Each structure stands twice: as C-alpha cells, then as structure tokens.
Amino acid sequence: MDKIEHIGIAVKDLETSNLLFQRLLGTAHYKIEEVASEGVRTSFFKVGNQKIELLEALVAESPIAKFIAQRGEGIHHIAFSVKDIIAEVKRLSSEGFVVLNEKPMRGADNKWVVFLHPKGVNGVLVELCQDIPQAEVE
Ligand code: ZN
C-alpha cells in the first residue's frame, strides 16, 4: 500500500458538516459528488497530500445510514491508495483478510475501490483505492 489517501467520516447533514470542517481546516471543500451505487453524497477537503471525505446517506438502505443508526456520526473508514488494486486484493485475501467486494467498484473522486471487512482489521473498515486513468473516465 502507498499512503493514506483519505479518511471517511459519516455525517448526518453534509451542508452543516461542510461548514464545520471548513472552520476546522481553514479551507473549503473542493468537490461534492454523489455515489448512487452506495446511496451517499460525499464532499472532499484537502489536508496536505491527504483528504477528508464526508459522507451523508441519501437513502435509508445506505451503509452510511446504518452506520449512523448504530454508532452515530464519526470516523467511518480509512482509505489507502494502491497502485495495483487487483494484486492487493489477492495479497490481502491470502493474508486472511475478508474482502467485501472482490471486483473493484467505481467510488467517488475517480477511483476503483475495494473494502475489507472491519471484523478482520480491529474494527476498522479499510478502503483500497486506485486512480482510474483519465482516458477511462467517461
Ligand atoms: Zn472513502
């Protein structure tokens, strides 16, 4: 794995939290993006070379809605950038980690993403992400 790419934070209301994190970080979010497949709306802030991703549920079945119902707002996942997501999935599977989606899905911010089950990672939901080359972005 390379660096920590971003930290995902589950929030109840994106507009309210955008203002809160703008006050915290001293900089405004640089994009808002819906990920329909996950039922979420996200916003991104730059912090040095890393990012903060705020996630708001759009529908009751969204994993973010379930997370907030169970645990309240807070840190939802840590994302690591990788160069070869398929190779990393193979490596982590062979290490005994439970991969939630073997086939990478299209996440926010032009990334292929795969999640590891938090049960095998001390309760931490881990996201792997790999940049989608510009040429493949529709
Ligand atoms: Zn994320």
Side-chain angles (χ1 to χ4, degrees):
M1 295 197 200
D2 294 341
K3 58 171 190 174
I4 292 178
E5 215 280 336
H6 64 268
I7 293 173
I9 298 173
V11 304
K12 286 181 182 163
D13 182 84
L14 201 62
E15 272 68 38
T16 303
S17 294
N18 275 342
L19 292 173
L20 176 67
F21 276 78
Q22 179 169 346
R23 281 172 38 226
L24 175 72
L25 300 171
T27 183
H29 63 280
Y30 66 92
K31 77 148 87 175
I32 289 185
E33 188 178 343
E34 273 189 25
V35 183
S37 59
E38 289 286 290
V40 295
R41 202 156 63 100
T42 66
S43 68
F44 284 88
F45 293 78
K46 287 201 170 90
V47 188
N49 289 326
Q50 278 73 39
K51 300 166 192 165
I52 297 288
E53 174 187 32
L54 303 183
L55 303 114
E56 171 198 62
L58 287 173
V59 291
E61 311 81 65
S62 159
I64 295 301
K66 287 176 189 155
F67 179 91
I68 288 178
Q70 284 172 5
R71 295 161 65 163
E73 293 178 294
I75 293 182
H76 178 257
H77 63 271
I78 298 180
F80 296 92
S81 62
V82 299
K83 288 193 183 69
D84 184 343
I85 200 165
I86 303 292
E88 277 299 311
V89 165
K90 273 193 195 133
R91 184 183 74 80
L92 292 164
S93 296
S94 74
E95 291 283 352
F97 292 96
V98 177
V99 178
L100 292 175
N101 57 303
E102 295 267 345
K103 188 172 167 356
M105 358 178 242
R106 192 178 276 265
D109 214 21
N110 291 327
K111 310 268 193 241
W112 291 119
V113 301
V114 167
F115 289 94
L116 303 183
H117 200 292
K119 271 191 184 147
V121 198
N122 287 156
V124 178
L125 177 62
V126 169
E127 174 185 343
L128 308 178
C129 53
Q130 180 182 346
D131 286 323
I132 300 175
Q134 267 310 311
E136 293 174 33
V137 177
E138 297 124 330

